[in-house]
C-alpha cells in the first residue's frame, strides 16, 4: 500500500492560491495607482487570473466593485488613486483656513470702507 502524500498536494494548492491572491491584489494596486479603469475583465487580464475566480473571492470582489464604481466628477476618464484622496482631517483643515481667510477679508473690507468714508469727508 502506498503512503498518503495528499498533504503535499494540499500544501501546493494553498501556495498556488496564496500566490494567485497576491498577484491579483498587486495588479489591483498597480491599476489603481496608475489611475486605470478597474473592471473584473481588466484585472483578470492584468493579474493573469480568471474572471470567475475573481468573482468567487468576496474581499477582492468588493474592492473591485468599490474602485470601479468610484467616480471623479472633475475628470471622468481618469480616476484618482485612493492614496491621493484628501482625508477628512485634511479637508477640515482646509475649510478652517478658508474660513479664517474669509473673515480676514471681511475685516479688511470693513476697514477699507471706514477709511474711504473718512477720506471722502476730508475731501468734501
Amino acid at each position: 500500500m502506498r503512503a498518503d502524500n495528499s498533504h503535499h498536494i494540499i500544501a501546493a494548492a494553498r501556495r498556488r492560491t496564496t500566490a494567485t491572491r497576491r498577484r491579483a491584489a498587486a495588479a489591483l494596486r498597480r491599476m489603481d495607482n496608475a489611475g486605470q479603469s478597474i473592471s473584473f475583465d481588466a484585472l483578470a487580464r492584468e493579474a493573469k487570473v480568471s474572471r470567475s475566480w475573481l468573482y468567487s473571492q468576496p474581499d477582492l470582489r468588493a474592492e473591485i466593485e468599490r474602485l470601479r464604481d468610484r467616480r471623479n466628477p472633475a475628470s471622468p476618464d481618469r480616476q484618482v488613486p485612493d492614496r491621493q484622496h484628501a482625508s477628512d482631517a485634511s479637508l477640515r483643515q482646509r475649510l478652517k483656513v478658508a474660513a479664517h481667510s474669509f473673515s480676514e477679508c471681511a475685516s479688511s473690507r470693513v476697514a477699507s470702507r471706514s477709511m474711504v468714508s473718512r477720506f471722502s469727508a476730508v475731501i468734501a
Side-chain angles (χ1 to χ4, degrees), residues 54-100:
L54 287 173
Y55 280 108
S56 73
Q57 305 303 307
D59 56 331
L60 285 173
R61 182 178 184 162
E63 184 66 7
I64 293 165
E65 289 171 348
R66 184 184 72 77
L67 292 172
R68 180 188 63 190
D69 295 340
R70 183 183 64 212
R71 296 285 182 244
N72 181 2
S75 174
D77 45 350
R78 176 138 173 98
Q79 297 174 345
V80 177
D82 272 353
R83 64 182 169 75
Q84 291 179 3
H85 282 249
S87 68
D88 287 346
S90 171
L91 292 173
R92 277 192 209 93
Q93 181 63 28
R94 289 172 62 187
L95 182 59
K96 186 178 176 181
V97 168
H100 179 71

Side-chain angles (χ1 to χ4, degrees), residues 39-58:
S39 68
F40 285 93
D41 186 53
L43 181 60
R45 275 185 273 119
E46 179 77 18
K48 295 180 177 44
V49 298
S50 71
R51 284 180 305 178
S52 62
W53 183 84
L54 287 173
Y55 280 108
S56 73
Q57 305 303 307

